[in-house]
Amino acid sequence: MFFKKYADKTDGAIRGFDVKSIRVKIICLLIMLVCIIFGVVAVFPAIWVMLSGFKDLKGLLNSTELFPKSFSFEGFKETWDKLHFFVYYKNSFIMVIGAVICAIIFNGILAYALAILKPKGYKIINGLVMWSLLIPATTSIVALFVNINRLDLNNSFIPLWLCYGANAFYVILFKEFFEGLPKELIEAAKIDGCNALQIFYKIVLPMSKPIIMVIVIFAVTAAWSDFLLPYLVLNGSGKETVMVKLYSYTTSRTTPIDMIRAITFSIIPPTIIFMIFQKKITDGAAGGAVKG
């Protein structure tokens, strides 16, 4: 039954004549079994955290059962109010929105210059972008923090936004996608009198929705889960994000059950976004050209 949908396939990893072999079927089933095991192992910690949030403190510490006795949201509401989580959600969303805008505009403009405009010396810039991928981000954290202090940008979201606007990985994704866009449309826009920026905003970006969605998802998950730089820049400012506040709870008198519920709050937004747009990640990342 499972292999019937492959009967008419003539391309891809599994084709119609492949599934006629018992050996291929067995290998495919084994691969699926391994993937299911890995999926369960990856998802189980998040499920355990969410289910544990429905327990009381005694049930969390003394019970080994996975499922709680009841599914009441009163405990979550109590923790939300007690820890003032709305403030940190708001701060995180402010940082995420700014990070997404900067990631699309700044990285997109640089990729547009490298892929389409190609000014003199663009190969040097492209080489520097590729070379920067080899440098771990944490090695530059000290210099970055010193410069943030010198510019008096502490206790501000601005340096965090700009960091996501200078991401070599996003530049490469944009560049690879832009190089597959129809050059005829860009040439037609030039003939109609559009300048470089007008072509970028009116022609290139509207045709790049798949890769933009991929960048948005990557930027949202990265900005939401980022801890080190927001901790250095925002700690003690009243603008702490969810991840920064979670760390402070580990050194406070927060009860274990409140900590579990706080972790649940922190993983809900990126989980929802990933579940909704997960297909865009594979479609956009693999799309090197416009689909007709």
Side-chain angles (χ1 to χ4, degrees):
M1 291 292 293
F2 172 77
F3 293 100
K4 280 187 176 180
K5 61 181 179 180
Y6 295 102
D8 299 326
K9 283 194 65 177
T10 58
D11 57 357
I14 303 177
R15 292 158 293 185
F17 60 83
D18 291 327
V19 297
K20 294 179 181 179
S21 169
I22 299 297
R23 179 172 172 271
V24 171
K25 289 182 179 180
I26 293 174
I27 293 174
C28 290
L29 291 175
L30 288 176
I31 292 174
M32 287 186 59
L33 179 61
V34 171
C35 290
I36 291 172
I37 293 173
F38 277 119
V40 171
V41 171
V43 172
F44 180 78
I47 294 177
W48 180 87
V49 168
M50 292 180 181
L51 292 177
S52 297
F54 289 99
K55 301 178 181 179
D56 54 18
L57 183 58
K58 182 179 178 181
L60 177 67
L61 298 177
N62 299 329
S63 174
T64 58
E65 296 179 356
L66 176 62
F67 293 95
K69 295 180 179 179
S70 63
F71 288 88
S72 173
F73 288 92
E74 288 299 321
F76 283 98
K77 184 179 183 302
E78 179 184 342
T79 299
W80 178 276
D81 295 336
K82 182 168 68 175
L83 300 182
H84 307 289
F85 232 80
F86 174 77
V87 176
Y88 311 117
Y89 251 57
K90 180 190 70 174
N91 293 339
S92 288
F93 277 113
I94 291 173
M95 189 182 79
V96 165
I97 291 171
V100 168
I101 293 173
C102 290
I104 293 173
I105 294 177
F106 298 143
N107 295 305
I109 288 177
L110 178 56
Y112 170 65
L114 296 176
I116 297 175
L117 298 182
K118 297 182 178 179
K120 289 183 179 181
Y122 80 95
K123 291 185 178 180
I124 298 175
I125 303 300
N126 186 56
L128 291 174
V129 171
M130 297 293 291
W131 182 70
S132 67
L133 289 172
L134 303 176
I135 305 175
T138 51
T139 60
S140 59
I141 196 72
V142 174
L144 183 60
F145 184 62
V146 168
N147 287 322
I148 290 173
N149 283 328
R150 287 178 178 174
L151 295 172
D152 198 23
L153 291 177
N154 259 336
N155 304 329
S156 170
F157 293 110
I158 294 176
L160 303 176
W161 295 341
L162 295 178
C163 285
Y164 289 97
N167 189 300
F169 179 60
Y170 299 162
V171 172
I172 299 302
L173 289 180
F174 270 126
K175 179 178 176 293
E176 292 298 317
F177 191 89
F178 290 166
E179 287 177 343
L181 295 177
K183 293 180 173 55
E184 295 80 7
L185 293 177
I186 297 172
E187 292 298 327
K190 290 180 181 179
I191 294 173
D192 290 339
C194 291
N195 58 38
L197 283 178
Q198 287 175 329
I199 293 174
F200 176 70
Y201 287 112
K202 295 182 179 181
I203 305 297
V204 174
L205 283 185
M207 292 194 300
S208 304
K209 290 180 181 178
I211 197 64
I212 288 175
M213 185 58 66
V214 172
I215 300 297
V216 167
I217 296 170
F218 285 168
V220 167
T221 54
W224 184 273
S225 60
D226 195 9
F227 165 74
L228 183 56
L229 192 57
Y231 176 76
L232 295 174
V233 175
L234 301 176
N235 192 33
S237 66
K239 299 178 181 179
E240 294 91 343
T241 60
V242 169
M243 293 303 166
V244 174
K245 206 60 188 177
L246 282 180
Y247 174 75
S248 69
Y249 290 154
T250 62
T251 58
S252 65
R253 295 183 179 179
T254 306
T255 63
I257 190 63
D258 284 331
M259 190 65 191
I260 290 290
R261 290 168 182 164
I263 294 173
T264 302
F265 293 142
S266 71
I267 64 178
I268 288 175
T271 302
I272 292 175
I273 291 173
F274 180 80
M275 290 174 64
I276 295 174
F277 299 108
Q278 59 178 321
K279 194 173 186 298
K280 291 288 184 180
I281 295 178
T282 54
D283 289 349
V290 176
K291 297 179 181 179

